[in-house]
Amino acid sequence: AAATTTTTTRAATTTRARSNRDAPFATSAHRPGGSSGASWKTTVLRHLGTRRFARASRRGAMDLSAGGVPPGATALHALAAANPAYPNLAAMDLAEESSPALRVLFAAGGTGGHVFPAIAIADALRRMSDEGSLPAAATARIDFAGTDHHQEATHVPAAGYALHRVPAIALARPPLSWRNVLVPFKLAYAVARSIALITRLAPDVVVGTGGYVSLPTCLAAKLCGVPLVIQEQNAYPGVANRILAKLASLVCVAFAKAAEAFRMPISHDGTLGTPGARGGAPCVVRGNPIRAPLRWTKRTDARRTLSWMFYRKGCAETPKIQGTDRVLVVFGGSMGCETLNDAMADAVGGMLERDPHLWVVWQTGRGGYERVRSRVPSHPRLAVRSFIDDVENCYAAADLCVARAGAVTCSELLACGLPSVLIPSPVVTEDHQSFNAKEMADFGAAVEIRDCELAPKDPKISVQSGEPAPRRTVRLDYVIGELLYDPEVLAGMREACLEAAAPEAAEAIANDVVSVALAARRRRRGAPREPCSSY
């Protein structure tokens, strides 16, 4: 009986082998490699010499329900129509053509000014994907390239996106410093790692918003033939973006003056595809993308929520900010602005004493919290925090804001219609905060104070010493009082903010990203080149 069974098994195996040779891949049971369809499809496509169909086979293919060759058919469609033994080959090309997933890779890292705009654009793409409004694509697959020890390591996973680690490249100042001797070798290694990442993810487009990882990742995208979109947040671009702009398919800027620094013509009608000057990319002014909750928070709800920041243990009830009260918000930066914190420490006590209807919310930064707490006594209408995550309620509840002039901060102030006093940092790269503050002042949306004007005239006098307040060129409390207690001035600044704001910047840039990706897909398929425009 055993010998009979063995003979029968061998005969069946021989019959299957002969059937596979005579009618290859006729049914799923006869495919080489078992029931899995990936291997036999890959084998056929390798014979055809077309790698893009192999990518489609890995994603899976749709069965053609009707015979014949569809419009725009390729040689693979004709093969499927002529030979019933290949039932799904044409469908694999249709799967590629229908673009089931739009793959976008964001390169952003370092500070929140680079990370938050990227997250805002990604959120806009995700909303478009969820609403089914992406053209020729049912879904969007979004990934981030970044480091594991900067702002992106915390905020990107918190926003629900995958973060892929790549090496960061930091350029010391001045550029000819001896500390930059190893930068070319580090850059080559980072580009190689980024090429491996791009090869693995196969993105349709790479979006660079600046930071330590933007340069190697975007260079790798160019070497891999992936279209590149650059988003510049500041009025004066940094060195990396000035280099990458010459390689990009599109440059989106927040301020028109940034286009002048790029030496590119501006597309005012939003149409893309016109080559820029000196071989550069087309440049469009879109504004800075901001987080969606900033546009949805109501003033009454924000003040109710913000009242909890003033709660103290032992209080009978939670303090309430009334509608006629004045709210001042001070942002000393994420790491702490010593000049601003020291000037505010000298002024806040007298301001609260003179005005019983003034409430102050103060973010000192993590590096300045202990120094401020040791200098400034507690007050029921003063809330001091090292860092504030709930910025949307702070903006919505405030009457005036005192802050640094980072690009994201300026864009959020404009979108919220919040008047501000800006103190640009003198130590940032390319002094871009000074350009941002000047743009805001030119709009009529802010008052600019130079950092040196707030610094003590006698540098030996320290706030920590407990000595009398040092003499300064500009008294911060005077500037705040002139704005905060003049309703007509505040109303004019609010109107100027809203006129210069670009609240839909994230959606506009997301549309641009989709347009660039789809135009690149058409070029890869050999379709006639058409102007790429936002839909």
Side-chain angles (χ1 to χ4, degrees):
T4 304
T5 303
T6 304
T7 303
T8 304
T9 303
R10 289 176 178 173
T13 303
T14 303
T15 302
R16 285 196 297 270
R18 185 181 298 110
S19 175
N20 289 342
R21 185 179 66 250
D22 296 338
F25 326 133
T27 64
S28 61
H30 297 155
R31 296 170 185 162
S35 59
S36 174
S39 60
W40 75 268
K41 296 174 186 176
T42 305
T43 302
V44 172
L45 298 174
R46 282 175 180 170
H47 283 295
L48 293 174
T50 310
R51 287 185 296 173
R52 70 186 178 100
F53 296 125
R55 292 198 301 269
S57 69
R58 288 195 296 270
R59 290 198 302 268
M62 303 176 296
D63 291 330
L64 289 178
S65 58
V69 181
T74 64
L76 200 58
H77 291 93
L79 176 63
N83 192 345
Y86 299 84
N88 292 328
L89 291 181
M92 282 187 284
D93 190 46
L94 288 181
E96 180 77 10
E97 194 71 31
S98 61
S99 306
L102 185 72
R103 301 178 295 275
V104 182
L105 175 63
F106 286 88
T111 65
H114 299 303
V115 176
F116 291 131
I119 293 176
I121 300 171
D123 289 343
L125 284 170
R126 184 165 58 183
R127 287 194 299 271
M128 293 165 61
S129 177
D130 295 340
E131 296 169 0
S133 58
L134 287 176
T139 59
R141 194 188 76 188
I142 300 171
D143 296 277
F144 277 74
T147 66
D148 56 0
H149 54 278
H150 286 110
Q151 293 278 350
E152 65 272 20
T154 301
H155 297 293
V156 169
Y161 301 107
L163 179 64
H164 305 272
R165 269 67 177 181
V166 296
I169 301 298
L171 184 66
R173 263 65 177 181
L176 297 180
S177 171
W178 64 268
R179 292 177 293 176
N180 293 327
V181 172
L182 296 179
V183 165
F185 304 98
K186 294 180 180 179
L187 179 61
Y189 174 70
V191 170
R193 289 283 302 273
S194 299
I195 289 176
L197 175 64
I198 290 175
T199 303
R200 178 163 56 89
L201 296 179
D204 293 297
V205 62
V206 172
V207 182
T209 61
Y212 297 114
V213 303
S214 181
L215 181 60
T217 307
C218 294
L219 287 177
K222 186 64 178 180
L223 293 175
C224 293
V226 178
L228 177 63
V229 175
I230 296 298
Q231 196 272 327
E232 174 57 50
Q233 303 91 30
N234 296 292
Y236 188 80
V239 176
N241 273 356
R242 292 205 301 272
I243 296 173
L244 294 172
K246 301 176 182 180
L247 309 176
S249 301
L250 175 68
V251 178
C252 301
V253 297
F255 302 100
K257 285 192 175 180
E260 299 175 6
F262 281 129
R263 300 183 183 180
M264 293 179 178
I266 303 174
S267 176
H268 294 282
D269 59 358
T271 301
L272 314 182
T274 304
R278 299 171 58 186
C283 184
V284 290
V285 180
R286 297 298 192 206
N288 270 325
I290 61 171
R291 289 163 281 186
L294 292 172
R295 295 176 286 167
W296 302 336
T297 307
K298 296 182 179 179
R299 183 179 179 87
T300 54
D301 297 337
R303 290 201 164 193
R304 187 183 308 112
T305 304
L306 207 64
S307 297
W308 285 97
M309 296 185 66
F310 299 90
Y311 177 77
R312 301 289 189 278
K313 290 183 179 180
C315 292
E317 58 181 10
T318 303
K320 294 182 180 180
I321 303 176
Q322 304 298 327
T324 56
D325 290 346
R326 285 167 286 275
V327 177
L328 173 67
V329 174
V330 181
F331 287 123
S334 58
M335 299 307 297
C337 168
E338 182 176 356
T339 304
L340 173 57
N341 285 336
D342 289 350
M344 193 65 196
D346 295 334
V348 67
M351 294 169 58
L352 292 171
E353 183 179 354
R354 289 190 298 269
D355 186 358
H357 299 286
L358 175 64
W359 303 74
V360 178
V361 179
W362 185 357
Q363 174 187 289
T364 62
R366 295 183 175 92
Y369 180 75
E370 295 299 331
R371 184 176 72 253
V372 169
R373 290 307 305 173
S374 63
R375 171 69 171 141
V376 179
S378 299
H379 193 282
R381 287 180 281 113
L382 173 64
V384 180
R385 300 289 186 272
S386 62
F387 189 80
I388 299 175
D389 292 313
D390 193 15
V391 293
E392 55 268 19
N393 283 318
C394 291
Y395 283 138
D399 296 286
L400 183 67
C401 179
V402 180
R404 284 299 202 190
V408 174
T409 299
C410 292
S411 298
E412 291 174 345
L413 292 171
L414 292 177
C416 296
L418 180 59
S420 58
V421 177
L422 300 179
I423 301 99
S425 173
V427 297
V428 295
T429 306
E430 308 291 342
D431 195 26
H432 62 259
Q433 287 199 9
S434 295
F435 291 92
N436 298 342
K438 186 177 185 305
E439 284 286 293
M440 294 284 287
D442 291 343
F443 292 152
V447 172
E448 178 188 4
I449 301 177
R450 308 296 295 179
D451 188 88
C452 60
E453 295 174 334
L454 282 182
K457 287 186 176 182
D458 185 355
K460 297 181 180 180
I461 298 179
S462 172
V463 174
Q464 296 176 331
S465 65
E467 296 182 13
R471 294 180 299 129
R472 305 176 189 274
T473 306
V474 175
R475 287 283 300 271
L476 184 59
D477 53 343
Y478 287 179
V479 177
I480 293 174
E482 290 176 357
L483 299 177
L484 194 59
Y485 300 103
D486 193 331
E488 293 184 3
V489 172
L490 287 181
M493 296 177 70
R494 289 192 195 99
E495 185 177 352
C497 285
L498 297 176
E499 288 180 358
E504 305 296 333
E507 288 74 12
I509 298 174
N511 289 340
D512 295 338
V513 170
V514 173
S515 297
V516 170
L518 295 181
R521 283 187 175 184
R522 287 195 297 268
R523 288 194 295 270
R524 286 199 299 267
R525 294 188 179 90
R529 190 164 183 170
E530 300 176 359
C532 173
S533 60
S534 298
Y535 58 90

